[in-house]
């Protein structure tokens, strides 16, 4: 098999030329490095392990595969192909175990593997993934024999002595209906498929690739936290070192699109690094920097290098922006200006990357400045697109479906995985820990559940102050001694009736904690609302979904949206999230075509006047 790129050597000196600024990124990642990659997408051998005997029988050592499928692709689609049905995915109802295998020819390299090594990366795969190279089990860089999770990437360093000219890569993927795992809206033993619950979409869902990386390098994980008042930006970088010694961490900031010009800012930080992985925060002053906002999505290019004692530089790059988000009084402030959040709920489902791109542009045409990505993982390039378009993002941890110590552990690990990979984006401004009690159904009665959410909220405040955090979106927010453990007081309000809508909004702005949403807005200690937190109607509409009633299409739906939006504008509310962007399975309440991205309502229908005008 031939690679698209045959030159796998990396630049060997600090004077090496830089790559073009806005090159197309073919991989599902947000942080780039100056090397070539070898995509392993395409045809793979495939087998179903119906009785889960593959490990016992040593399939990783050799197995006869009867089927061939395309990677990336879901287990459900691949199961259907084995049955000769390519029109509908095959659903499974308890547990599924499948195996994939392919061979690849090791690309040629121009220099000995003294400074560099091969790295294998899965853009996303799961829920449980095990990988073998030529019959040897691999461990992730984090030391996992089995990688858990299906929303974020993970990587393996490949030892030179285990590589052949032609290599055999074997992957075992297992998933279950276990309600303690982070499932989002995929069905489980508790929430069965139908209504708002979707069929499973698991397995080899994103690209897998081989690339050369330096033995001593920066990992493609970057956190950015800016303070606009003193024009400081804090970069959280992760070093990966095999050879202990003295290094220099160099950061250079360029104008976006101006990397062939001298850098705007440069700093160097000497480090003494031991073998292993380490996080390091460095601070860069950026006097006169332009801020990022929906009206002016100003971005800068960061080039970060880990330079060894011989002057060899291992480099990563990404775009970033300076912005500040704050919950103060009854407003959300962006860069110290009150900003009304015109939001829309977005569930990407099984949409392709190209379809998601069209969705993002369409949501902006509707007049939205905020997209709430609803308890799902998306291709990381979508965060880059939001940065470029100036769309604010509200992201959420895919929820488990039951409350237990193990489900909380899985929830926290998923949160940390997501944070590590997407905390560099100025567009990401809000995180939800839970939604409508899914995975924390005992939040009103179990102090342990409330304690976990409270501690996680405090962790986010301290470690990731660049985000606003919602404890449990929709209702049942936690109050401890009268202090809300959420930066926003959110409510999900559904009714197709305009007088009832007006009544619910009036109850909300009066601070009535009971009788407003489906459940009380506050649990724990009493909370006395005096406009000290912004009110967000974080779900409303549902027009076209039979269970909610309301107009299903046409001018009637448009007029209803306008009427309901007008009532929101007339009250001291800080933002709203219309539900929802596209149809998905049984939920037929979208206003954007899921394939073409065309609108079924007029452009600008969800736009609101600024908060300062109210």
């Amino acid at each position: 098999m031939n690679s698209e790129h045959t030159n796998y050597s990396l630049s060997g000196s600090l004077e090496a030329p830089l790559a073009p600024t806005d090159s197309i990124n073919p991989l599902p990642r947000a942080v780039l490095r100056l090397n070539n990659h070898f995509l392993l997408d395409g045809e793979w051998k495939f087998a179903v392990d119906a009785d889960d005997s593959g490990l016992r029988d040593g399939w990783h050592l050799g197995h006869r595969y009867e089927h061939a499928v395309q990677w990336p692709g879901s287990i459900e689609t691949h199961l259907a192909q084995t049955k000769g049905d390519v029109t509908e995915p095959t659903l499974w109802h308890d547990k599924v175990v499948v195996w994939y295998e392919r061979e690849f020819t090791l690309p040629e390299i121009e220099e000995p593997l003294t400074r560099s090594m091969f790295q294998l990366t899965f853009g996303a795969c799961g829920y449980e993934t095990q990988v073998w190279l030529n019959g040897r089990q691999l461990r992730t860089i984090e030391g996992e024999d089995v990688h858990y999770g299906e929303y974020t990437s993970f990587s393996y360093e490949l030892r030179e002595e285990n590589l052949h000219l032609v290599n055999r890569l074997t992957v075992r993927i297992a998933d279950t209906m276990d309600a303690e795992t982070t499932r989002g809206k995929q069905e489980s033993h508790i929430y069965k498929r139908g209504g708002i619950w979707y069929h499973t979409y698991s397995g080899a869902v994103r690209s897998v690739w081989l690339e050369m990386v330096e033995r001593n390098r920066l990992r493609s994980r970057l956190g950015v936290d800016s303070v606009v008042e003193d024009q400081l930006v804090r970069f959280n970088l992760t070093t990966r070192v095999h050879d202990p010694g003295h290094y220099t961490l160099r950061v250079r900031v360029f104008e976006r699109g101006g990397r062939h010009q001298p850098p705007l800012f440069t700093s160097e930080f000497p480090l003494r690094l031991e073998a292993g992985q380490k996080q390091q925060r460095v601070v860069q002053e950026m006097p006169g920097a332009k801020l990022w906002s929906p009206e002016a999505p100003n971005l800068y290019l960061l080039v970060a290098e880990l330079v060894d004692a011989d002057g060899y530089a291992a480099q990563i790059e990404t775009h970033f922006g300076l912005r500040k988000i704050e919950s103060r009084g009854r407003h959300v402030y962006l860069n110290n200006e009150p900003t009304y959040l015109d939001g829309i709920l977005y569930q990407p489902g099984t949409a392709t990357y190209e379809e998601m791109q069209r969705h993002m542009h369409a949501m902006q045409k509707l007049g939205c400045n905020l997209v709430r990505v609803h308890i799902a993982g998306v291709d990381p390039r979508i965060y880059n697109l939001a940065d470029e378009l100036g769309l604010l993002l509200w992201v959420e941890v895919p929820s488990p479906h039951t409350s237990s110590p193990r489900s909380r552990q899985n929830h926290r690990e998923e949160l940390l995985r997501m944070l590590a990979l997407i905390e560099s984006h100025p567009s990401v401004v809000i995180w939800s820990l839970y939604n409508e009690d899914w995975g924390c159904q005992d939040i009103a009665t179990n102090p342990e559940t409330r304690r976990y959410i409270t501690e996680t909220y405090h962790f986010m405040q301290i470690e990731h102050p660049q985000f606003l955090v919602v404890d449990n979106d929709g209702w049942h927010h936690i109050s401890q001694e009268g202090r809300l453990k959420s930066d926003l007081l959110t409510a999900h309000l559904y009714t197709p009736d305009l007088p009832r809508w007006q009544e619910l909004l009036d109850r909300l702005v009066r601070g009535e904690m009971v009788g407003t949403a489906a459940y009380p807005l506050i649990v724990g200690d009493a909370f006395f609302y005096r406009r000290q937190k912004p009110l967000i109607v974080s779900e409303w509409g549902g027009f076209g979904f039979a269970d909610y009633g309301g107009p299903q299409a046409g001018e009637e739906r448009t007029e209803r949206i306008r009427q309901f939006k007008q009532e929101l504008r007339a009250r001291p509310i800080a933002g709203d999230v219309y539900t929802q962007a596209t149809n998905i399975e049984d939920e037929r309440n979208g206003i954007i075509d899921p394939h073409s991205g065309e609108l079924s309502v007029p452009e600008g229908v969800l736009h609101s006047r600024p908060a300062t005008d109210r």
Side-chain angles (χ1 to χ4, degrees):
M1 177 170 291
N2 293 324
S3 168
E4 179 184 356
H5 301 284
T6 57
N7 177 9
Y8 268 69
S9 65
L10 294 166
S11 57
S13 69
L14 296 177
E15 290 74 32
L18 298 175
T21 305
D22 292 320
S23 58
I24 297 174
N25 177 17
L27 301 176
R29 60 182 178 185
V31 178
L32 308 180
R33 61 177 71 251
L34 287 183
N35 60 359
N36 295 322
H37 67 272
F38 176 26
L39 266 177
L40 295 176
D41 293 353
E43 185 174 279
W44 286 60
K45 299 174 184 177
F46 175 76
V48 180
D49 191 356
D51 56 0
D52 196 9
S53 62
L55 285 174
R56 182 181 67 247
D57 295 342
W59 286 17
H60 57 285
L61 300 175
H63 181 70
R64 181 177 176 272
Y65 292 82
E66 297 180 359
H67 305 283
V69 297
Q70 291 293 312
W71 186 311
S74 70
I75 287 176
E76 293 75 18
T77 300
H78 296 159
L79 289 174
Q81 291 175 4
T82 66
K83 299 177 181 179
D85 183 2
V86 295
T87 58
E88 292 291 335
T90 296
L91 307 183
W92 48 273
H93 300 288
D94 183 32
K95 180 179 181 179
V96 63
V97 180
V98 295
W99 291 69
Y100 297 82
E101 189 169 281
R102 65 158 290 169
E103 291 184 346
F104 66 91
T105 301
L106 198 66
E108 296 179 1
I109 57 175
E110 292 187 349
E111 59 184 40
L113 291 176
T114 54
R115 295 187 185 275
S116 305
M117 62 176 59
F118 283 102
Q119 179 174 282
L120 177 70
T121 299
F122 289 76
C125 188
Y127 189 75
E128 299 178 18
T129 306
Q130 290 171 270
V131 182
W132 292 262
L133 177 68
N134 301 321
R136 288 179 176 269
Q137 184 168 7
L138 301 179
R139 303 185 77 186
T140 67
I141 293 178
E142 282 67 39
E144 306 164 307
D145 289 322
V146 182
H147 174 78
Y148 295 94
E150 60 182 335
Y151 305 103
T152 55
S153 64
F154 52 98
S155 299
Y156 302 87
E157 294 175 341
L158 306 184
R159 298 171 64 91
E160 183 179 4
E161 59 267 27
N162 297 333
L163 288 165
H164 305 155
L165 178 61
V166 178
N167 297 273
R168 178 169 52 89
L169 191 63
T170 309
V171 181
R172 177 187 181 270
I173 304 173
D175 204 352
T176 71
M177 293 288 177
D178 181 2
E180 291 183 312
T181 62
T182 50
R183 310 196 60 79
K185 289 182 73 172
Q186 298 181 64
E187 68 171 316
S188 70
H189 289 307
I190 290 181
Y191 297 127
K192 293 300 183 180
R193 189 251 178 269
I196 66 170
W197 303 103
Y198 309 147
H199 67 66
T200 56
Y201 180 71
S202 54
V205 294
R206 287 191 204 144
S207 292
V208 55
W209 64 92
L210 187 71
E211 62 185 323
M212 284 289 285
V213 297
E214 295 89 347
R215 286 172 50 83
N216 309 301
R217 65 191 183 278
L218 296 170
R219 295 202 66 189
S220 56
R221 302 179 173 198
L222 176 68
V224 178
D225 175 20
S226 54
V227 179
V228 302
E229 288 83 1
D230 53 17
Q231 296 179 312
L232 292 177
V233 60
R234 293 154 173 81
F235 297 117
N236 298 320
L237 295 151
T238 301
T239 60
R240 173 70 175 171
V241 168
H242 287 265
D243 306 307
H246 292 279
Y247 292 84
T248 299
L249 181 56
R250 176 186 294 135
V251 297
R252 291 183 289 162
V253 176
F254 298 82
E255 289 277 8
R256 185 185 179 192
R259 63 177 306 156
H260 296 294
Q261 304 297 320
L264 299 174
F265 310 101
T266 300
S267 292
E268 294 188 352
F269 306 90
L271 297 174
R272 175 69 172 88
L273 296 175
E274 302 297 330
Q277 187 163 294
K278 185 180 186 300
Q279 286 190 327
Q280 179 67 49
R281 167 172 284 195
V282 297
V283 180
Q284 175 66 60
E285 295 178 272
M286 292 183 59
K290 295 173 288 187
L291 302 183
W292 183 96
S293 70
E295 296 76 23
N298 297 305
L299 293 172
Y300 292 92
L301 173 67
L302 169 70
V303 175
E305 297 166 315
L306 186 65
V307 186
D308 66 18
D310 297 327
Y312 181 89
Q315 178 176 308
I316 60 172
E317 63 178 58
T318 193
H319 288 98
F320 71 98
L322 281 73
R323 64 105 181 104
K324 175 185 179 182
I325 193 79
E326 187 180 10
S327 162
R328 178 160 31 102
R330 64 184 180 91
H331 291 307
V332 172
Y333 288 81
L334 181 65
N335 301 332
N336 295 321
E337 295 291 333
T339 300
Y340 189 87
L341 302 179
D342 284 310
I344 189 167
L345 190 81
Y346 178 48
Q347 304 187 88
T350 59
T352 65
Y353 171 56
E354 290 73 23
E355 288 170 338
M356 285 189 282
Q357 287 178 297
R358 291 193 280 271
H359 298 163
M360 297 294 284
H361 285 280
M363 289 184 283
Q364 191 171 51
K365 288 180 182 178
L366 287 169
C368 297
N369 61 6
L370 171 79
V371 174
R372 182 177 165 213
V373 183
H374 193 35
I375 55 175
V378 298
D379 189 305
R381 290 171 291 186
I382 292 300
Y383 303 114
N384 284 349
L385 178 58
D387 293 342
E388 296 166 7
L389 294 177
L391 275 172
L392 304 171
L393 294 182
W394 180 336
V395 300
E396 304 177 312
V397 184
S399 60
H401 289 180
T402 190
S403 182
S404 69
R406 179 169 171 263
S407 79
R408 290 190 283 274
Q409 178 182 351
N410 289 336
H411 178 275
R412 181 173 177 82
E413 290 173 354
E414 196 69 69
L415 169 66
L416 294 178
R417 285 192 291 265
M418 293 178 70
L419 282 167
L421 293 175
I422 65 175
E423 64 171 331
S424 64
H425 300 280
S427 57
V428 178
V429 293
I430 304 172
W431 282 76
S432 282
L433 303 180
Y434 287 92
N435 176 77
E436 291 188 353
D437 300 359
W438 302 339
C440 60
Q441 293 90 335
D442 55 357
I443 189 172
T445 58
N446 188 347
E448 286 299 317
T449 299
R450 293 199 296 275
R451 182 177 299 111
Y452 166 71
I453 297 174
T454 298
E455 290 174 352
T456 305
Y457 170 72
H458 289 156
F459 162 79
M460 292 290 286
Q461 280 190 315
I462 295 170
E463 297 296 330
H464 302 280
Q466 68 270 40
F467 305 125
L468 301 181
V469 179
V470 178
D471 54 350
N472 176 54
D473 188 51
W475 48 70
H476 282 170
H477 297 283
I478 297 172
S479 173
Q480 189 178 68
E481 299 177 346
R483 295 177 175 88
L484 200 64
K485 300 307 175 181
S486 178
D487 293 321
L488 306 172
L489 182 54
T490 68
H492 294 178
L493 307 180
Y494 284 110
T495 176
D497 181 68
L498 184 59
R500 174 63 174 161
W501 177 243
Q502 294 167 328
E503 177 190 351
L504 292 175
L505 294 181
D506 288 338
R507 284 177 174 270
L508 180 66
V509 299
R510 287 197 299 264
E512 295 185 19
M513 300 293 109
V514 178
T516 302
Y519 294 95
L521 291 183
I522 301 297
V523 296
D525 297 329
F527 177 74
F528 302 99
Y529 177 68
R530 294 295 185 272
R531 298 191 178 186
Q532 73 271 41
K533 290 281 183 177
L535 296 175
I536 306 289
V537 181
S538 51
E539 287 188 28
W540 68 276
F543 304 144
F545 189 26
D547 289 355
Y548 298 158
Q552 297 202 6
E555 181 58 34
E556 185 183 1
R557 176 189 283 188
T558 299
E559 184 58 29
R560 188 70 57 87
I561 292 172
R562 285 173 173 156
Q563 290 173 343
F564 277 49
K565 189 78 174 181
Q566 185 174 2
E567 296 298 329
L568 287 161
R569 292 168 178 163
R571 290 166 174 80
I573 291 172
D576 65 86
V577 179
Y578 178 80
T579 305
Q580 63 183 353
T582 64
N583 292 339
I584 180 168
E585 299 198 23
D586 292 345
E587 288 193 283
R588 316 301 296 175
N589 53 353
I591 54 179
I592 299 171
D593 185 277
H595 303 297
S596 69
E598 295 181 0
L599 303 181
S600 61
V601 294
E603 292 187 13
V605 71
L606 293 177
H607 179 66
S608 177
R609 55 185 167 169
T612 51
D613 293 344
R614 293 187 288 114

